[in-house]
PDB file of all heavy atoms in Angstrom:
ATOM      1  N   LYS A  75      82.935 -38.404  28.760  1.00 93.00           N
ATOM      2  CA  LYS A  75      83.402 -39.595  28.043  1.00 93.00           C
ATOM      3  C   LYS A  75      82.230 -40.355  27.435  1.00 93.00           C
ATOM      4  O   LYS A  75      82.294 -40.815  26.290  1.00 93.00           O
ATOM      5  CB  LYS A  75      84.179 -40.506  28.998  1.00 93.00           C
ATOM      6  CG  LYS A  75      84.757 -41.748  28.324  1.00 93.00           C
ATOM      7  CD  LYS A  75      85.550 -42.585  29.310  1.00 93.00           C
ATOM      8  CE  LYS A  75      86.119 -43.830  28.624  1.00 93.00           C
ATOM      9  NZ  LYS A  75      86.884 -44.687  29.578  1.00 93.00           N
ATOM     10  N   MET A  76      81.139 -40.492  28.183  1.00 92.00           N
ATOM     11  CA  MET A  76      79.955 -41.183  27.684  1.00 92.00           C
ATOM     12  C   MET A  76      79.369 -40.463  26.474  1.00 92.00           C
ATOM     13  O   MET A  76      78.944 -41.088  25.495  1.00 92.00           O
ATOM     14  CB  MET A  76      78.903 -41.276  28.794  1.00 92.00           C
ATOM     15  CG  MET A  76      79.269 -42.234  29.910  1.00 92.00           C
ATOM     16  SD  MET A  76      78.149 -42.101  31.336  1.00 92.00           S
ATOM     17  CE  MET A  76      76.593 -42.624  30.601  1.00 92.00           C
ATOM     18  N   ALA A  77      79.363 -39.136  26.541  1.00 92.00           N
ATOM     19  CA  ALA A  77      78.852 -38.350  25.412  1.00 92.00           C
ATOM     20  C   ALA A  77      79.721 -38.548  24.186  1.00 92.00           C
ATOM     21  O   ALA A  77      79.211 -38.736  23.070  1.00 92.00           O
ATOM     22  CB  ALA A  77      78.796 -36.873  25.799  1.00 92.00           C
ATOM     23  N   ASP A  78      81.022 -38.521  24.374  1.00 93.00           N
ATOM     24  CA  ASP A  78      81.950 -38.704  23.250  1.00 93.00           C
ATOM     25  C   ASP A  78      81.784 -40.081  22.610  1.00 93.00           C
ATOM     26  O   ASP A  78      81.821 -40.222  21.385  1.00 93.00           O
ATOM     27  CB  ASP A  78      83.396 -38.523  23.716  1.00 93.00           C
ATOM     28  CG  ASP A  78      83.704 -37.081  24.122  1.00 93.00           C
ATOM     29  OD1 ASP A  78      82.941 -36.178  23.718  1.00 93.00           O
ATOM     30  OD2 ASP A  78      84.695 -36.875  24.849  1.00 93.00           O
ATOM     31  N   GLU A  79      81.585 -41.091  23.463  1.00 93.00           N
ATOM     32  CA  GLU A  79      81.470 -42.460  22.961  1.00 93.00           C
ATOM     33  C   GLU A  79      80.100 -42.754  22.344  1.00 93.00           C
ATOM     34  O   GLU A  79      79.944 -43.739  21.627  1.00 93.00           O
ATOM     35  CB  GLU A  79      81.741 -43.452  24.102  1.00 93.00           C
ATOM     36  CG  GLU A  79      83.189 -43.440  24.586  1.00 93.00           C
ATOM     37  CD  GLU A  79      83.428 -44.354  25.770  1.00 93.00           C
ATOM     38  OE1 GLU A  79      82.414 -44.839  26.346  1.00 93.00           O
ATOM     39  OE2 GLU A  79      84.602 -44.579  26.127  1.00 93.00           O
ATOM     40  N   SER A  80      79.121 -41.879  22.613  1.00 93.00           N
ATOM     41  CA  SER A  80      77.766 -42.110  22.092  1.00 93.00           C
ATOM     42  C   SER A  80      77.646 -41.810  20.608  1.00 93.00           C
ATOM     43  O   SER A  80      76.696 -42.251  19.947  1.00 93.00           O
ATOM     44  CB  SER A  80      76.760 -41.237  22.860  1.00 93.00           C
ATOM     45  OG  SER A  80      76.885 -39.871  22.483  1.00 93.00           O
ATOM     46  N   GLY A  81      78.589 -41.041  20.091  1.00 90.00           N
ATOM     47  CA  GLY A  81      78.522 -40.662  18.690  1.00 90.00           C
ATOM     48  C   GLY A  81      77.622 -39.462  18.451  1.00 90.00           C
ATOM     49  O   GLY A  81      77.433 -39.033  17.311  1.00 90.00           O
ATOM     50  N   LYS A  82      77.056 -38.907  19.532  1.00 93.00           N
ATOM     51  CA  LYS A  82      76.183 -37.744  19.427  1.00 93.00           C
ATOM     52  C   LYS A  82      76.931 -36.519  19.945  1.00 93.00           C
ATOM     53  O   LYS A  82      77.913 -36.644  20.684  1.00 93.00           O
ATOM     54  CB  LYS A  82      74.913 -37.952  20.253  1.00 93.00           C
ATOM     55  CG  LYS A  82      74.114 -39.188  19.874  1.00 93.00           C
ATOM     56  CD  LYS A  82      72.932 -39.382  20.830  1.00 93.00           C
ATOM     57  CE  LYS A  82      72.144 -40.647  20.470  1.00 93.00           C
ATOM     58  NZ  LYS A  82      71.028 -40.885  21.407  1.00 93.00           N
ATOM     59  N   ASN A  83      76.428 -35.345  19.551  1.00 93.00           N
ATOM     60  CA  ASN A  83      77.022 -34.169  20.177  1.00 93.00           C
ATOM     61  C   ASN A  83      76.515 -34.075  21.614  1.00 93.00           C
ATOM     62  O   ASN A  83      75.589 -34.778  21.996  1.00 93.00           O
ATOM     63  CB  ASN A  83      76.746 -32.889  19.371  1.00 93.00           C
ATOM     64  CG  ASN A  83      75.284 -32.472  19.371  1.00 93.00           C
ATOM     65  OD1 ASN A  83      74.605 -32.505  20.401  1.00 93.00           O
ATOM     66  ND2 ASN A  83      74.781 -32.058  18.211  1.00 93.00           N
ATOM     67  N   GLU A  84      77.112 -33.197  22.394  1.00 94.00           N
ATOM     68  CA  GLU A  84      76.828 -33.145  23.835  1.00 94.00           C
ATOM     69  C   GLU A  84      75.353 -32.929  24.139  1.00 94.00           C
ATOM     70  O   GLU A  84      74.770 -33.626  24.981  1.00 94.00           O
ATOM     71  CB  GLU A  84      77.668 -32.046  24.473  1.00 94.00           C
ATOM     72  CG  GLU A  84      77.625 -32.015  25.988  1.00 94.00           C
ATOM     73  CD  GLU A  84      78.629 -31.038  26.564  1.00 94.00           C
ATOM     74  OE1 GLU A  84      79.832 -31.370  26.570  1.00 94.00           O
ATOM     75  OE2 GLU A  84      78.227 -29.945  26.990  1.00 94.00           O
ATOM     76  N   ASN A  85      74.742 -31.980  23.465  1.00 95.00           N
ATOM     77  CA  ASN A  85      73.340 -31.681  23.730  1.00 95.00           C
ATOM     78  C   ASN A  85      72.426 -32.837  23.329  1.00 95.00           C
ATOM     79  O   ASN A  85      71.483 -33.172  24.053  1.00 95.00           O
ATOM     80  CB  ASN A  85      72.920 -30.399  23.019  1.00 95.00           C
ATOM     81  CG  ASN A  85      73.630 -29.176  23.570  1.00 95.00           C
ATOM     82  OD1 ASN A  85      73.987 -29.130  24.744  1.00 95.00           O
ATOM     83  ND2 ASN A  85      73.853 -28.194  22.716  1.00 95.00           N
ATOM     84  N   GLU A  86      72.685 -33.435  22.182  1.00 95.00           N
ATOM     85  CA  GLU A  86      71.888 -34.581  21.738  1.00 95.00           C
ATOM     86  C   GLU A  86      71.983 -35.720  22.746  1.00 95.00           C
ATOM     87  O   GLU A  86      70.981 -36.391  23.036  1.00 95.00           O
ATOM     88  CB  GLU A  86      72.363 -35.056  20.368  1.00 95.00           C
ATOM     89  CG  GLU A  86      72.041 -34.121  19.227  1.00 95.00           C
ATOM     90  CD  GLU A  86      72.672 -34.554  17.920  1.00 95.00           C
ATOM     91  OE1 GLU A  86      73.642 -35.357  17.961  1.00 95.00           O
ATOM     92  OE2 GLU A  86      72.215 -34.098  16.850  1.00 95.00           O
ATOM     93  N   PHE A  87      73.180 -35.924  23.267  1.00 95.00           N
ATOM     94  CA  PHE A  87      73.381 -36.972  24.263  1.00 95.00           C
ATOM     95  C   PHE A  87      72.555 -36.691  25.518  1.00 95.00           C
ATOM     96  O   PHE A  87      71.857 -37.570  26.031  1.00 95.00           O
ATOM     97  CB  PHE A  87      74.861 -37.078  24.627  1.00 95.00           C
ATOM     98  CG  PHE A  87      75.145 -37.969  25.810  1.00 95.00           C
ATOM     99  CD1 PHE A  87      75.048 -39.343  25.700  1.00 95.00           C
ATOM    100  CD2 PHE A  87      75.488 -37.416  27.041  1.00 95.00           C
ATOM    101  CE1 PHE A  87      75.292 -40.172  26.797  1.00 95.00           C
ATOM    102  CE2 PHE A  87      75.732 -38.231  28.144  1.00 95.00           C
ATOM    103  CZ  PHE A  87      75.636 -39.607  28.014  1.00 95.00           C
ATOM    104  N   LEU A  88      72.600 -35.456  26.005  1.00 95.00           N
ATOM    105  CA  LEU A  88      71.856 -35.096  27.210  1.00 95.00           C
ATOM    106  C   LEU A  88      70.348 -35.207  26.989  1.00 95.00           C
ATOM    107  O   LEU A  88      69.622 -35.690  27.861  1.00 95.00           O
ATOM    108  CB  LEU A  88      72.229 -33.682  27.656  1.00 95.00           C
ATOM    109  CG  LEU A  88      73.672 -33.486  28.132  1.00 95.00           C
ATOM    110  CD1 LEU A  88      73.929 -32.027  28.493  1.00 95.00           C
ATOM    111  CD2 LEU A  88      73.999 -34.388  29.321  1.00 95.00           C
ATOM    112  N   PHE A  89      69.886 -34.785  25.831  1.00 95.00           N
ATOM    113  CA  PHE A  89      68.454 -34.893  25.538  1.00 95.00           C
ATOM    114  C   PHE A  89      68.013 -36.351  25.478  1.00 95.00           C
ATOM    115  O   PHE A  89      66.922 -36.701  25.930  1.00 95.00           O
ATOM    116  CB  PHE A  89      68.129 -34.202  24.218  1.00 95.00           C
ATOM    117  CG  PHE A  89      68.301 -32.705  24.246  1.00 95.00           C
ATOM    118  CD1 PHE A  89      68.470 -31.995  23.074  1.00 95.00           C
ATOM    119  CD2 PHE A  89      68.311 -32.004  25.452  1.00 95.00           C
ATOM    120  CE1 PHE A  89      68.627 -30.616  23.099  1.00 95.00           C
ATOM    121  CE2 PHE A  89      68.474 -30.634  25.489  1.00 95.00           C
ATOM    122  CZ  PHE A  89      68.641 -29.928  24.302  1.00 95.00           C
ATOM    123  N   SER A  90      68.882 -37.206  24.931  1.00 95.00           N
ATOM    124  CA  SER A  90      68.531 -38.632  24.858  1.00 95.00           C
ATOM    125  C   SER A  90      68.489 -39.246  26.250  1.00 95.00           C
ATOM    126  O   SER A  90      67.640 -40.098  26.529  1.00 95.00           O
ATOM    127  CB  SER A  90      69.535 -39.385  23.982  1.00 95.00           C
ATOM    128  OG  SER A  90      70.827 -39.435  24.566  1.00 95.00           O
ATOM    129  N   VAL A  91      69.373 -38.819  27.141  1.00 92.00           N
ATOM    130  CA  VAL A  91      69.371 -39.298  28.525  1.00 92.00           C
ATOM    131  C   VAL A  91      68.069 -38.904  29.208  1.00 92.00           C
ATOM    132  O   VAL A  91      67.418 -39.720  29.873  1.00 92.00           O
ATOM    133  CB  VAL A  91      70.579 -38.732  29.313  1.00 92.00           C
ATOM    134  CG1 VAL A  91      70.427 -39.005  30.801  1.00 92.00           C
ATOM    135  CG2 VAL A  91      71.875 -39.344  28.803  1.00 92.00           C
ATOM    136  N   LEU A  92      67.664 -37.648  29.035  1.00 93.00           N
ATOM    137  CA  LEU A  92      66.424 -37.170  29.644  1.00 93.00           C
ATOM    138  C   LEU A  92      65.205 -37.901  29.078  1.00 93.00           C
ATOM    139  O   LEU A  92      64.265 -38.216  29.815  1.00 93.00           O
ATOM    140  CB  LEU A  92      66.277 -35.664  29.425  1.00 93.00           C
ATOM    141  CG  LEU A  92      67.204 -34.763  30.244  1.00 93.00           C
ATOM    142  CD1 LEU A  92      67.004 -33.306  29.860  1.00 93.00           C
ATOM    143  CD2 LEU A  92      66.981 -34.960  31.729  1.00 93.00           C
ATOM    144  N   GLU A  93      65.237 -38.181  27.789  1.00 94.00           N
ATOM    145  CA  GLU A  93      64.100 -38.887  27.177  1.00 94.00           C
ATOM    146  C   GLU A  93      64.000 -40.313  27.712  1.00 94.00           C
ATOM    147  O   GLU A  93      62.894 -40.803  27.981  1.00 94.00           O
ATOM    148  CB  GLU A  93      64.250 -38.910  25.657  1.00 94.00           C
ATOM    149  CG  GLU A  93      63.045 -39.516  24.945  1.00 94.00           C
ATOM    150  CD  GLU A  93      63.118 -39.384  23.443  1.00 94.00           C
ATOM    151  OE1 GLU A  93      64.133 -38.850  22.926  1.00 94.00           O
ATOM    152  OE2 GLU A  93      62.172 -39.828  22.764  1.00 94.00           O
ATOM    153  N   ILE A  94      65.132 -40.965  27.909  1.00 93.00           N
ATOM    154  CA  ILE A  94      65.138 -42.321  28.462  1.00 93.00           C
ATOM    155  C   ILE A  94      64.595 -42.311  29.890  1.00 93.00           C
ATOM    156  O   ILE A  94      63.804 -43.172  30.281  1.00 93.00           O
ATOM    157  CB  ILE A  94      66.566 -42.908  28.433  1.00 93.00           C
ATOM    158  CG1 ILE A  94      66.993 -43.186  26.981  1.00 93.00           C
ATOM    159  CG2 ILE A  94      66.642 -44.191  29.258  1.00 93.00           C
ATOM    160  CD1 ILE A  94      68.454 -43.554  26.834  1.00 93.00           C
ATOM    161  N   ILE A  95      65.018 -41.324  30.671  1.00 90.00           N
ATOM    162  CA  ILE A  95      64.619 -41.252  32.078  1.00 90.00           C
ATOM    163  C   ILE A  95      63.133 -40.934  32.228  1.00 90.00           C
ATOM    164  O   ILE A  95      62.443 -41.513  33.077  1.00 90.00           O
ATOM    165  CB  ILE A  95      65.451 -40.192  32.821  1.00 90.00           C
ATOM    166  CG1 ILE A  95      66.916 -40.643  32.925  1.00 90.00           C
ATOM    167  CG2 ILE A  95      64.892 -39.940  34.219  1.00 90.00           C
ATOM    168  CD1 ILE A  95      67.840 -39.577  33.476  1.00 90.00           C
ATOM    169  N   THR A  96      62.636 -40.026  31.409  1.00 91.00           N
ATOM    170  CA  THR A  96      61.276 -39.501  31.609  1.00 91.00           C
ATOM    171  C   THR A  96      60.248 -40.021  30.602  1.00 91.00           C
ATOM    172  O   THR A  96      59.048 -39.758  30.763  1.00 91.00           O
ATOM    173  CB  THR A  96      61.286 -37.968  31.523  1.00 91.00           C
ATOM    174  OG1 THR A  96      61.659 -37.570  30.185  1.00 91.00           O
ATOM    175  CG2 THR A  96      62.264 -37.379  32.518  1.00 91.00           C
ATOM    176  N   ASN A  97      60.728 -40.711  29.560  1.00 94.00           N
ATOM    177  CA  ASN A  97      59.830 -41.142  28.477  1.00 94.00           C
ATOM    178  C   ASN A  97      59.153 -39.953  27.806  1.00 94.00           C
ATOM    179  O   ASN A  97      58.042 -40.072  27.276  1.00 94.00           O
ATOM    180  CB  ASN A  97      58.758 -42.121  28.996  1.00 94.00           C
ATOM    181  CG  ASN A  97      59.354 -43.452  29.409  1.00 94.00           C
ATOM    182  OD1 ASN A  97      60.196 -44.012  28.704  1.00 94.00           O
ATOM    183  ND2 ASN A  97      58.936 -43.942  30.562  1.00 94.00           N
ATOM    184  N   LYS A  98      59.823 -38.828  27.845  1.00 93.00           N
ATOM    185  CA  LYS A  98      59.296 -37.623  27.219  1.00 93.00           C
ATOM    186  C   LYS A  98      60.450 -36.868  26.564  1.00 93.00           C
ATOM    187  O   LYS A  98      61.473 -36.598  27.188  1.00 93.00           O
ATOM    188  CB  LYS A  98      58.629 -36.739  28.282  1.00 93.00           C
ATOM    189  CG  LYS A  98      58.076 -35.435  27.744  1.00 93.00           C
ATOM    190  CD  LYS A  98      57.491 -34.603  28.878  1.00 93.00           C
ATOM    191  CE  LYS A  98      57.021 -33.245  28.371  1.00 93.00           C
ATOM    192  NZ  LYS A  98      56.514 -32.383  29.474  1.00 93.00           N
ATOM    193  N   LYS A  99      60.270 -36.544  25.288  1.00 94.00           N
ATOM    194  CA  LYS A  99      61.319 -35.859  24.549  1.00 94.00           C
ATOM    195  C   LYS A  99      61.379 -34.391  24.953  1.00 94.00           C
ATOM    196  O   LYS A  99      60.345 -33.701  24.954  1.00 94.00           O
ATOM    197  CB  LYS A  99      61.062 -35.972  23.047  1.00 94.00           C
ATOM    198  CG  LYS A  99      62.214 -35.494  22.183  1.00 94.00           C
ATOM    199  CD  LYS A  99      61.954 -35.822  20.722  1.00 94.00           C
ATOM    200  CE  LYS A  99      63.139 -35.414  19.855  1.00 94.00           C
ATOM    201  NZ  LYS A  99      62.919 -35.777  18.435  1.00 94.00           N
ATOM    202  N   PRO A 100      62.558 -33.878  25.309  1.00 94.00           N
ATOM    203  CA  PRO A 100      62.673 -32.464  25.671  1.00 94.00           C
ATOM    204  C   PRO A 100      62.293 -31.556  24.506  1.00 94.00           C
ATOM    205  O   PRO A 100      62.647 -31.832  23.359  1.00 94.00           O
ATOM    206  CB  PRO A 100      64.157 -32.305  26.024  1.00 94.00           C
ATOM    207  CG  PRO A 100      64.602 -33.685  26.388  1.00 94.00           C
ATOM    208  CD  PRO A 100      63.828 -34.597  25.492  1.00 94.00           C
TER     209      PRO A 100
END
């Protein structure tokens, strides 16, 4: 649901989550 509401596709959403958590872009 969070991915759908983000306006991004699933992978883009997950990569953005990881970048926020780690301060490093996958």
Side-chain angles (χ1 to χ4, degrees):
K75 182 178 180 181
M76 289 170 64
D78 292 341
E79 292 176 349
S80 73
K82 303 175 181 178
N83 68 43
E84 188 172 284
N85 294 330
E86 289 173 341
F87 170 73
L88 294 178
F89 293 159
S90 67
V91 169
L92 287 177
E93 185 173 2
I94 290 171
I95 292 172
T96 65
N97 292 316
K98 178 182 176 183
K99 190 172 183 178

